[in-house]
C-alpha cells in the first residue's frame, strides 16, 4: 500500500524551514527517507524503526509517531543543495518490500 | 567498494524488440528491488528478489515483463516486445538483508533509461 506524501511541492528561500509528511493507513515496520536530484539515483537519508523515534542528519531530521503510521522530515535553514525530490519508503508487510510515496519536490531559491 | 551497478545506462529499442536491464548489487547484498520511474513521477515498485527467488512481484505487469536473480551473476529485468509506454528510467536497489528484518537501507544504482522508438 503506497504511503501518502504531502505537500506535493514546496518552494523555499535559502534559510527557510520545511516539513514533509508521510502517512499510512496502517502501522509500518519502518520508514526510509531518500532524496533524488534530477537525473540521478535516489540517495538514502535515514531510516526510522521505532514508534516515537527521532533522528537527525545535520540540519535534516525526521520523526516517526508512536502509532508508527506517520513520519515527518524536517529541513531547517535550507540550503540550495537541499533542492530535489524527497521520497518516503515504507514497509508494511512481512516480506520486506519497500514501497515509495509519490514524492515531494523541494526547490530552494537564493 | 563498488556501489550498485546498472547497465546499460541508456538503452534504445524499437517497438517489438526485447530489452534486458542488468543490476549487479553491492558486494555481500543478496536482496534486489526493481523500480520504474516515469519523468516527474515517483518510484513505482516492480519486483523484489533474493538470490534465486522472487519474493514479491506484485508490481510487475502480468505480460512481457520478467525478472530473475540467479545464484551467480547480476539480476536481470527483461521486457519482451517493448512498446512506447515502456519508456522510463528503471532503477534497482540492493540491501544486505531484507529491509524489514534489519532496518537496513537500500542502495540505489544510477538507473537505466529505456527509450522505445
Amino acid at each position: 500500500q503506497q504511503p501518502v506524501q504531502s505537500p506535493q511541492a514546496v518552494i523555499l528561500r535559502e534559510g527557510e524551514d520545511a516539513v514533509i509528511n508521510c502517512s499510512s493507513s496502517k502501522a509500518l515496520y519502518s520508514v526510509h527517507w531518500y532524496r533524488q536530484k534530477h537525473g540521478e539515483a535516489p540517495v538514502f537519508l535515514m531510516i526510522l524503526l521505532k514508534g516515537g523515534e527521532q533522528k537527525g542528519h545535520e540540519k535534516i531530521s525526521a520523526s516517526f509517531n508512536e502509532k508508527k503510521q506517520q513520519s515527518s522530515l524536517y529541513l531547517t535553514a535550507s540550503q540550495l543543495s537541499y533542492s530535489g525530490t524527497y521520497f518516503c519508503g515504507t514497509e508494511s508487510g512481512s516480506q520486506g518490500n519497500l514501497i515509495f510515496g509519490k514524492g515531494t519536490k523541494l526547490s530552494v531559491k537564493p | 567498494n563498488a556501489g550498485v551497478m546498472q547497465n546499460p545506462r541508456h538503452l534504445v529499442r524499437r517497438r517489438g524488440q526485447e530489452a534486458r536491464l542488468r543490476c549487479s548489487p553491492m558486494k555481500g547484498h543478496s536482496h534486489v528491488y526493481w523500480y520504474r520511474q516515469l519523468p516527474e513521477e515517483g518510484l513505482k515498485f516492480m519486483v523484489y528478489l533474493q538470490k534465486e527467488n522472487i519474493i514479491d512481484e506484485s508490481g510487475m505487469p502480468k505480460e512481457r515483463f520478467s525478472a530473475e536473480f540467479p545464484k551467480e551473476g547480476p539480476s536481470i529485468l527483461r521486457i519482451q516486445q517493448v512498446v512506447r509506454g515502456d519508456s522510463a528510467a528503471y532503477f534497482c536497489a540492493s540491501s544486505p538483508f531484507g529491509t524489514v528484518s534489519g532496518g537496513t537501507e537500500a542502495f540505489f544504482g544510477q538507473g537505466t533509461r529505456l527509450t522505445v522508438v
Side-chain angles (χ1 to χ4, degrees), chain B residues 58-70:
Chain B
S58 58
M60 288 274 273
K62 293 284 184 273
E63 297 176 351
R64 301 188 298 109
F65 285 72
S66 62
E68 63 176 10
F69 189 14

Side-chain angles (χ1 to χ4, degrees), chain A:
Chain A
Q1 189 176 10
Q2 187 177 37
V4 177
Q5 281 187 242
S6 63
Q8 289 185 317
V10 183
I11 299 175
L12 298 175
R13 293 275 180 203
E14 258 186 304
E16 291 182 337
D17 302 340
V19 180
I20 299 171
N21 298 305
C22 175
S23 63
S24 172
S25 58
K26 51 182 182 175
L28 303 165
Y29 283 98
S30 63
V31 174
H32 304 231
W33 285 98
Y34 285 79
R35 177 172 62 209
Q36 184 181 33
K37 292 187 180 284
H38 184 70
E40 298 182 9
V43 173
F44 172 78
L45 295 175
M46 65 189 83
I47 293 177
L48 298 109
L49 297 172
K50 301 175 185 174
E53 183 176 7
Q54 295 191 41
K55 199 176 259 193
H57 178 71
E58 296 181 341
K59 291 181 181 175
I60 300 175
S61 61
S63 64
F64 199 9
N65 76 343
E66 289 289 347
K67 288 187 176 180
K68 300 182 73 175
Q69 287 181 269
Q70 183 176 16
S71 176
S72 295
L73 185 72
Y74 306 94
L75 301 108
T76 57
S78 59
Q79 305 168 15
L80 295 175
S81 62
Y82 287 4
S83 292
T85 301
Y86 290 78
F87 292 99
C88 68
T90 58
E91 299 173 88
S92 57
S94 59
Q95 291 181 319
N97 200 349
L98 191 59
I99 306 292
F100 287 91
K102 292 187 175 180
T104 296
K105 187 172 183 178
L106 179 74
S107 301
V108 181
K109 309 287 185 187

